[in-house]
């Protein structure tokens, strides 16, 4: 053994058998970790404040995978699983580990606590032990989540893919995680079917059910388009012939390139009006629209938005859909544009434009300076809809966080949840057309049969309104959320400045205010451990905010003419 190479044998107990791994330290930043006995997974200890380590998984002399993990330097916050069973065919397996930072004057990587704490295991326990993990919202089984991606409905199953970091609860290693549900409320994690490759990590995108085999991958194949985030952002394709469980990447990737730096998040849909596919993607401060017959060859049609709406941040995650205007026989198109920062209360938010689309060009019906927001809370972002939803529904999910503090919210084994599912529509008010947002019917079906007056940590509270009202949810620690409806002003606001833990970010404590476009008669308030989503019963107002009370809110106080409310337990 060379003098500057330290070698230690770490005996680790796996279930039933003890096994040996060999760690060779090659410099203060670099080490080689040879795996001599392959269990199903290696549990890697993570410390969120540690420097980033890059791990290359090398099997049979080939690099199989590269991932970034904050390996624990002096304390373990939580574990993440590195599954090894996929490399079982190879005779030798090793990790080549490099940590960022300069450790020449101290022991460096050899002194990290991770070596004592790495574990071998046959499975990874994802049981929910966290105070703030919601009960009826989708969360990743473990690790970080941001945007919902590639969502589709097929054969009674809702498929939700999401921006996942399987190796830590902060943004990194972008991969498409996959969860499924038959009721939009209870979700099962299905793994990470679209993993980073030589073109980059896997950013947001969409999937469609290719009913008529236009792409040639088979009738009813699932075709996904996503952004490959490498040195530049390009668009790549993958398809699935097993209902979205596994995906095969297309040989000709990437299929769309550009020299625009922020060029991402393609959203495809079948446009019956022109009998072609359309796709919309964010390209700098505008949205590019394309068309295609086969999902592979895309023709650029037009751009929208350079002069329209809010431009306080990057345009991301678009969607485009045709909807009926409530109470009329009109149909209009709505273009969804998520923007970060620049939201109405700071940071991330979803704006939309109403107008007409002929398959080639979107024309906005309002003046360029008009900005419309879909939800006026601080925690509603990256909203997109499911492809192929039943009965022509437009079912949307948002990522329930804000880039201002998403990486710092006080959870550990997982970070971030999705909003409850919402059905989108259009309504008119004083000559303008707005997006209506209503909790999807599936959430009403999940209510307990009998309502009560007691608040619980996972419930829906329905409040009948008769003019101005102030609704306060509080706990015995003096933590509270105050919601105010001002009928004359036609506004609704939520104050979370004293809601509980707020000091993890100076951007968190906030009062958010929404226009309500007329009168509100009934509010639906969804509480789930660390989130509050409020909807006008007619869908004219939506507000989504995170809260982190140190004890669940258990007291309701209502000031105003109304005292009538009912609480339904959910789940
Ligand atoms: C939006 C976003 C997308 C991108 C993804 C990366 O939150 O920035 O534009 O595809 O997150 O994770």
């Amino acid at each position: 053994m060379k003098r500057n190479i330290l070698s230690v044998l770490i005996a680790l107990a796996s279930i039933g058998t003890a096994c040996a791994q060999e760690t060779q330290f090659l410099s203060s930043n670099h080490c080689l970790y040879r795996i001599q006995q392959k269990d199903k997974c290696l549990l890697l200890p993570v410390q969120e404040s540690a420097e980033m380590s890059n791990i290359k998984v090398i099997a049979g002399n080939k690099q199989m995978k590269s991932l970034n993990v904050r390996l624990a330097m002096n304390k373990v916050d939580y574990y993440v699983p590195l599954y090894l069973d996929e490399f079982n065919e190879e005779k030798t397996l090793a990790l080549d580990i490099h940590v960022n930072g300069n450790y020449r004057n101290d022991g460096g990587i050899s002194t990290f606590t991770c070596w004592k704490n790495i574990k071998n295991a046959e499975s990874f326990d994802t049981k929910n032990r966290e105070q703030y993990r919601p009960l009826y919202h989708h969360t990743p089984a473990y690790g970080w989540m941001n945007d919902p991606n590639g969502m589709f409905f097929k054969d009674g199953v809702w498929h939700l893919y999401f921006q996942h970091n399987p190796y830590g609860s902060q943004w990194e290693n972008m991969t498409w995680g996959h969860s499924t549900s038959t009721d939009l409320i209870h979700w099962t994690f299905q793994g990470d079917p679209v993993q980073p490759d030589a073109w980059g990590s896997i950013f947001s995108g969409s999937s469609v059910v290719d009913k008529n085999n236009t792409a040639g991958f088979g009738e009813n194949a699932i075709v996904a388009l996503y952004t490959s985030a490498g040195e530049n952002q390009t668009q790549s394709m993958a398809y699935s012939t097993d209902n979205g469980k596994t995906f095969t990447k297309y040989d000709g990737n990437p299929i769309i390139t550009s020299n625009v730096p922020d060029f991402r998040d393609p959203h495809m849909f079948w446009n019956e009006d022109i009998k072609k596919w359309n796709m919309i993607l964010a390209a700098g401060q505008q949205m590019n629209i394309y068309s295609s017959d086969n999902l592979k060859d895309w023709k650029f049609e037009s751009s929208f938005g350079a002069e329209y709406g809010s431009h306080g941040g990057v345009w991301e995650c678009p969607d485009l859909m045709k909807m009926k205007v409530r109470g009329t026989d009109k149909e209009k198109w709505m273009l969804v544009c998520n923007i970060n920062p620049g939201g109405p209360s700071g940071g991330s938010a979803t704006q939309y434009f109403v107008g007409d689309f002929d398959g080639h060009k979107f024309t906005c019906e309002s003046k360029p300076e008009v900005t419309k927001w879909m939800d006026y809370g601080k925690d509603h972002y990256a909203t997109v809809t499911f492809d192929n939803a039943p009965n022509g529904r437009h079912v949307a999910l948002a990522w329930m966080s804000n880039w201002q503090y998403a990486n710092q919210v006080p959870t550990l084994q997982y970070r971030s949840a999705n909003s409850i599912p919402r059905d989108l529509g259009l309504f008119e008010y004083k000559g303008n057309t707005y997006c209506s947002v209503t909790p999807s019917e599936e959430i009403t079906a999940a209510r307990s049969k009998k309502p009560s007056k007691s608040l619980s940590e996972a419930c829906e509270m329905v409040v009948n309104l008769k003019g101005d009202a102030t609704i306060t949810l509080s706990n015995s620690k003096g933590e509270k959320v105050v919601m105010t409806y001002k009928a004359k002003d036609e506004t609704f606001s939520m104050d979370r400045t004293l809601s509980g833990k707020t000091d993890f970010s100076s951007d968190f404590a906030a009062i958010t205010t929404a226009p309500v476009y007329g009168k509100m008669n009934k509010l639906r308030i969804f509480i789930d451990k660390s989130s509050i989503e409020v909807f006008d019963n007619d869908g004219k107002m939506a507000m989504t905010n995170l809260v982190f009370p140190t004890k669940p809110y258990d007291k309701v106080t209502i000031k105003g003419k109304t005292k009538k409310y009912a609480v339904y337990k959910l789940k």
Side-chain angles (χ1 to χ4, degrees), residues 90 112 173 175 185 255 286 414 443 500 518 560:
E90 304 294 339
F112 285 14
N173 304 308
T175 298
I185 314 289
I255 60 170
Q286 57 188 25
Y414 81 100
I443 195 106

Side-chain angles (χ1 to χ4, degrees), residues 16-251:
T17 42
C19 63
Q21 322 285 354
E22 191 190 348
T23 312
Q24 295 172 329
F25 297 104
L26 308 177
S27 79
S28 57
N29 291 78
H30 187 197
C31 91
L32 219 171
Y33 187 90
R34 292 185 196 274
I35 298 170
Q36 274 146 16
Q37 180 185 321
K38 281 181 251 173
D39 286 84
K40 186 150 185 215
C41 59
L42 211 56
L43 302 185
L44 303 173
V46 175
Q47 178 182 354
E48 288 201 338
S49 56
E51 284 285 355
M52 190 64 85
S53 291
N54 173 259
I55 301 184
K56 292 186 171 62
V57 180
I58 299 179
N61 298 315
K62 290 189 290 283
Q63 179 177 321
M64 312 301 279
K65 203 170 193 155
S66 166
L67 48 122
N68 295 324
V69 188
R70 294 189 188 275
L71 284 176
M73 296 169 96
N74 42 50
K75 79 169 171 78
V76 180
D77 291 330
Y78 52 83
Y79 283 86
V80 291
L82 173 61
Y83 285 97
L84 301 175
D85 48 348
E86 55 184 297
F87 314 117
N88 266 346
E89 317 261 278
E90 304 294 339
K91 285 197 197 79
T92 59
L93 189 58
L95 307 182
D96 183 73
I97 305 176
H98 179 97
V99 64
N100 290 343
N102 183 351
Y103 306 98
R104 279 200 206 125
N105 299 324
D106 52 44
I109 198 166
S110 67
T111 67
F112 285 14
T113 194
C114 60
W115 313 119
K116 287 200 296 274
N117 288 293
I118 290 183
K119 292 180 192 164
N120 292 54
E122 276 308 310
S123 61
F124 181 58
D125 179 4
T126 56
K127 193 158 174 235
N128 177 14
R129 295 180 182 84
E130 285 197 51
Q131 182 185 4
Y132 293 124
R133 198 194 271 258
L135 297 183
Y136 62 88
H137 287 75
H138 172 258
T139 53
Y142 58 91
W144 161 273
M145 174 176 82
N146 56 298
D147 315 354
N149 292 149
M151 302 188 294
F152 68 92
F153 175 82
K154 186 169 182 279
D155 305 332
V157 182
W158 300 89
H159 292 261
L160 160 58
Y161 300 84
F162 53 91
Q163 289 284 279
H164 191 205
N165 178 7
Y167 305 113
S169 299
Q170 293 178 313
W171 188 88
E172 195 63 48
N173 304 308
M174 279 301 111
T175 298
W176 276 23
H178 181 206
S179 297
T180 54
S181 171
T182 51
D183 62 5
L184 279 172
I185 314 289
H186 302 86
W187 295 92
T188 310
F189 180 55
Q190 304 286 357
D192 288 295
V194 192
Q195 307 238 359
D197 60 24
W199 298 113
S201 55
I202 314 296
F203 273 19
S204 288
S206 61
S207 310
V208 290
V209 182
D210 187 12
K211 293 180 184 158
N212 298 321
N213 191 18
T214 62
F217 301 129
E219 229 170 71
N220 288 314
I222 308 303
V223 180
L225 197 56
Y226 56 86
T227 301
S228 290
E231 186 176 337
N232 284 90
Q233 298 181 349
T234 58
Q235 317 312 318
S236 294
M237 188 181 197
Y239 61 92
S240 170
T241 50
D242 59 3
N243 287 327
K245 186 129 193 68
T246 60
F247 279 85
T248 305
K249 302 231 177 88
Y250 178 56
D251 269 345

